[in-house]
Amino acid sequence: MAKAEKKEGIWETVKTVFWALVIAGIFRTLFFQPFWIPSGSMKDTLLIGDFLFVNKMAYGYASVSCPFSVCPISGRILGSDPERGDVVVFRHPTRGVDFIKRVIGLPGDRLQMVEGKLILNGEPVKYEARPDFVEVKAPQGSQQLMPRCVNDPVPQGDDCAKGRMTEILPNGVSHDVLNITDGWMADNTPVFTVPEGHYFFMGDNRDNSEDSRFPAVTGGLGFVPAEYLIGRADRIMFSSAGKSLLYFWTWRPDRFFKAVD
């Protein structure tokens, strides 16, 4: 009798774990997806080592993760369209990897960068001066990426600065953008017209972001079709500046549960 009860108890545990994994998989597939920030393209809004959950229902798309180079989203269920200024995770249309950038251009918009400033539908976007963004010149994250600095060459351990301005979009959304090099290749661009059903994305760290300013035919991002949007980044849940999550002394408690603006 004792052996039968023990066997039944083990089987119940296995069933419980199985259904818990099934429910977690469904929850992840339909509602939220974890995402680690691997690069500095969205500084200072998002830092390398930030961890967040992506709200996959924000735009009404339910996506299924897949390993193939092209993995279209299964379809729209409900929700609103992306708004200018949203920080969004999406599937790269040609590489099959997840990116995170900010929505700058909506369908039908005309955009151009002139001397590092955004021209949107023929009107210059407003900017406000901010103090420099300063971080330590040291390897960051699991990839040990070294930050670029406007004051390079900078020895490791010293302050690495980037110019910073607040960009104010026409809908009132404001966010900081960083500048490392004046006259960078993407500081001056042709006029981009966003096709219907597509979006134009840019990183906040403007001189360190591979985004829609670079066409897909040359290996860049280009315009992103709506069906490749995964969801909106709303809140940072956890953040670590170290190479490993286990290095608790590198955790950034001031960024825990921080809203993504």
Side-chain angles (χ1 to χ4, degrees), residues 3 14 22 44 57 80 88 93-94 100 107 132 157 164 181 223 248 259:
K3 288 183 178 180
V14 170
V22 168
D44 63 349
M57 296 306 296
S80 60
V88 176
T94 60
I100 185 166
D132 286 352
R164 178 166 52 180
T181 304
F223 304 118
F248 63 88

mmCIF file of all heavy atoms in Angstrom, residues 3 14 22 44 57 80 88 93-94 100 107 132 157 164 181 223 248 259:
data_model
loop_
_atom_site.group_PDB
_atom_site.id
_atom_site.type_symbol
_atom_site.label_atom_id
_atom_site.label_comp_id
_atom_site.label_asym_id
_atom_site.label_seq_id
_atom_site.Cartn_x
_atom_site.Cartn_y
_atom_site.Cartn_z
ATOM 1 N N LYS A 3 3.932 1.561 -1.092
ATOM 2 C CA LYS A 3 4.595 1.725 -2.381
ATOM 3 C C LYS A 3 3.638 2.309 -3.415
ATOM 4 O O LYS A 3 4.009 3.141 -4.234
ATOM 5 C CB LYS A 3 5.139 0.386 -2.862
ATOM 6 C CG LYS A 3 6.352 -0.119 -2.081
ATOM 7 C CD LYS A 3 6.877 -1.405 -2.675
ATOM 8 C CE LYS A 3 8.119 -1.878 -1.929
ATOM 9 N NZ LYS A 3 8.659 -3.146 -2.503
ATOM 10 N N VAL A 14 4.608 14.657 -11.184
ATOM 11 C CA VAL A 14 4.978 14.759 -12.599
ATOM 12 C C VAL A 14 3.889 15.471 -13.386
ATOM 13 O O VAL A 14 4.160 16.359 -14.218
ATOM 14 C CB VAL A 14 5.248 13.361 -13.187
ATOM 15 C CG1 VAL A 14 5.395 13.434 -14.707
ATOM 16 C CG2 VAL A 14 6.492 12.752 -12.570
ATOM 17 N N VAL A 22 3.146 23.565 -19.319
ATOM 18 C CA VAL A 22 2.231 23.850 -20.429
ATOM 19 C C VAL A 22 1.604 25.227 -20.260
ATOM 20 O O VAL A 22 1.556 26.037 -21.201
ATOM 21 C CB VAL A 22 1.135 22.771 -20.528
ATOM 22 C CG1 VAL A 22 0.027 23.209 -21.485
ATOM 23 C CG2 VAL A 22 1.731 21.452 -20.979
ATOM 24 N N ASP A 44 20.089 55.978 -23.144
ATOM 25 C CA ASP A 44 20.117 55.593 -21.756
ATOM 26 C C ASP A 44 18.771 55.067 -21.241
ATOM 27 O O ASP A 44 18.601 54.830 -20.053
ATOM 28 C CB ASP A 44 20.560 56.769 -20.891
ATOM 29 C CG ASP A 44 19.594 57.959 -20.962
ATOM 30 O OD1 ASP A 44 18.682 57.989 -21.819
ATOM 31 O OD2 ASP A 44 19.735 58.885 -20.157
ATOM 32 N N MET A 57 0.322 41.439 -25.980
ATOM 33 C CA MET A 57 -1.055 41.748 -26.340
ATOM 34 C C MET A 57 -1.281 43.239 -26.566
ATOM 35 O O MET A 57 -2.394 43.661 -26.886
ATOM 36 C CB MET A 57 -2.008 41.249 -25.254
ATOM 37 C CG MET A 57 -1.997 39.722 -25.084
ATOM 38 S SD MET A 57 -2.317 38.843 -26.628
ATOM 39 C CE MET A 57 -3.983 39.367 -26.969
ATOM 40 N N SER A 80 -4.419 47.822 -29.781
ATOM 41 C CA SER A 80 -4.275 49.070 -30.525
ATOM 42 C C SER A 80 -3.060 49.007 -31.434
ATOM 43 O O SER A 80 -2.254 48.086 -31.367
ATOM 44 C CB SER A 80 -4.137 50.228 -29.544
ATOM 45 O OG SER A 80 -2.988 50.040 -28.732
ATOM 46 N N VAL A 88 9.552 48.887 -28.615
ATOM 47 C CA VAL A 88 8.939 47.661 -29.119
ATOM 48 C C VAL A 88 9.988 46.590 -29.389
ATOM 49 O O VAL A 88 11.077 46.877 -29.904
ATOM 50 C CB VAL A 88 8.167 47.960 -30.422
ATOM 51 C CG1 VAL A 88 7.588 46.686 -31.030
ATOM 52 C CG2 VAL A 88 7.051 48.970 -30.158
ATOM 53 N N PRO A 93 13.045 41.182 -39.874
ATOM 54 C CA PRO A 93 12.389 40.568 -41.034
ATOM 55 C C PRO A 93 13.255 39.613 -41.843
ATOM 56 O O PRO A 93 12.727 38.735 -42.522
ATOM 57 C CB PRO A 93 11.988 41.775 -41.891
ATOM 58 C CG PRO A 93 11.894 42.917 -40.931
ATOM 59 C CD PRO A 93 12.961 42.658 -39.917
ATOM 60 N N THR A 94 14.581 39.763 -41.808
ATOM 61 C CA THR A 94 15.435 38.894 -42.617
ATOM 62 C C THR A 94 16.385 38.025 -41.799
ATOM 63 O O THR A 94 16.813 36.976 -42.267
ATOM 64 C CB THR A 94 16.273 39.730 -43.607
ATOM 65 O OG1 THR A 94 17.109 40.652 -42.884
ATOM 66 C CG2 THR A 94 15.357 40.503 -44.553
ATOM 67 N N ILE A 100 15.059 45.265 -30.280
ATOM 68 C CA ILE A 100 14.255 46.207 -29.506
ATOM 69 C C ILE A 100 14.685 47.625 -29.888
ATOM 70 O O ILE A 100 15.873 47.966 -29.833
ATOM 71 C CB ILE A 100 14.376 45.964 -27.983
ATOM 72 C CG1 ILE A 100 13.429 46.902 -27.213
ATOM 73 C CG2 ILE A 100 15.824 46.091 -27.510
ATOM 74 C CD1 ILE A 100 13.239 46.509 -25.761
ATOM 75 N N PRO A 107 3.052 54.387 -40.456
ATOM 76 C CA PRO A 107 2.732 54.268 -41.881
ATOM 77 C C PRO A 107 2.348 55.617 -42.504
ATOM 78 O O PRO A 107 1.532 56.349 -41.950
ATOM 79 C CB PRO A 107 1.545 53.299 -41.877
ATOM 80 C CG PRO A 107 1.750 52.470 -40.650
ATOM 81 C CD PRO A 107 2.329 53.396 -39.636
ATOM 82 N N ASP A 132 25.449 65.469 -20.024
ATOM 83 C CA ASP A 132 25.979 64.260 -20.656
ATOM 84 C C ASP A 132 25.562 63.003 -19.896
ATOM 85 O O ASP A 132 25.380 63.025 -18.662
ATOM 86 C CB ASP A 132 27.507 64.306 -20.705
ATOM 87 C CG ASP A 132 28.022 65.281 -21.760
ATOM 88 O OD1 ASP A 132 27.209 65.799 -22.551
ATOM 89 O OD2 ASP A 132 29.244 65.523 -21.774
ATOM 90 N N GLY A 157 37.967 52.111 -16.650
ATOM 91 C CA GLY A 157 37.754 52.556 -15.285
ATOM 92 C C GLY A 157 37.454 54.032 -15.162
ATOM 93 O O GLY A 157 36.979 54.489 -14.124
ATOM 94 N N ARG A 164 23.890 64.184 -24.655
ATOM 95 C CA ARG A 164 22.498 63.766 -24.428
ATOM 96 C C ARG A 164 21.549 64.946 -24.646
ATOM 97 O O ARG A 164 21.806 66.062 -24.217
ATOM 98 C CB ARG A 164 22.342 63.215 -23.007
ATOM 99 C CG ARG A 164 20.927 62.799 -22.658
ATOM 100 C CD ARG A 164 20.864 61.950 -21.404
ATOM 101 N NE ARG A 164 21.546 62.531 -20.255
ATOM 102 C CZ ARG A 164 21.626 61.964 -19.055
ATOM 103 N NH1 ARG A 164 21.069 60.776 -18.841
ATOM 104 N NH2 ARG A 164 22.269 62.549 -18.066
ATOM 105 N N THR A 181 29.307 60.804 -32.030
ATOM 106 C CA THR A 181 30.160 61.365 -33.082
ATOM 107 C C THR A 181 29.337 62.272 -33.986
ATOM 108 O O THR A 181 28.321 61.834 -34.535
ATOM 109 C CB THR A 181 30.784 60.245 -33.931
ATOM 110 O OG1 THR A 181 31.496 59.338 -33.083
ATOM 111 C CG2 THR A 181 31.742 60.822 -34.964
ATOM 112 N N PHE A 223 12.388 49.085 -43.174
ATOM 113 C CA PHE A 223 11.038 49.193 -42.615
ATOM 114 C C PHE A 223 10.612 47.829 -42.081
ATOM 115 O O PHE A 223 10.906 46.790 -42.675
ATOM 116 C CB PHE A 223 10.051 49.660 -43.685
ATOM 117 C CG PHE A 223 10.421 50.960 -44.339
ATOM 118 C CD1 PHE A 223 10.691 51.028 -45.696
ATOM 119 C CD2 PHE A 223 10.497 52.129 -43.594
ATOM 120 C CE1 PHE A 223 11.033 52.222 -46.311
ATOM 121 C CE2 PHE A 223 10.844 53.336 -44.191
ATOM 122 C CZ PHE A 223 11.112 53.384 -45.547
ATOM 123 N N PHE A 248 25.772 39.219 -7.794
ATOM 124 C CA PHE A 248 24.749 40.057 -7.170
ATOM 125 C C PHE A 248 25.252 41.456 -6.856
ATOM 126 O O PHE A 248 24.470 42.404 -6.763
ATOM 127 C CB PHE A 248 24.216 39.385 -5.896
ATOM 128 C CG PHE A 248 25.241 39.188 -4.821
ATOM 129 C CD1 PHE A 248 25.490 40.194 -3.887
ATOM 130 C CD2 PHE A 248 25.952 38.005 -4.714
ATOM 131 C CE1 PHE A 248 26.432 40.028 -2.894
ATOM 132 C CE2 PHE A 248 26.891 37.827 -3.719
ATOM 133 C CZ PHE A 248 27.140 38.837 -2.803
ATOM 134 N N ALA A 259 9.697 51.938 -15.046
ATOM 135 C CA ALA A 259 8.915 52.057 -16.272
ATOM 136 C C ALA A 259 9.807 52.403 -17.455
ATOM 137 O O ALA A 259 10.795 53.141 -17.304
ATOM 138 C CB ALA A 259 7.825 53.119 -16.106
#
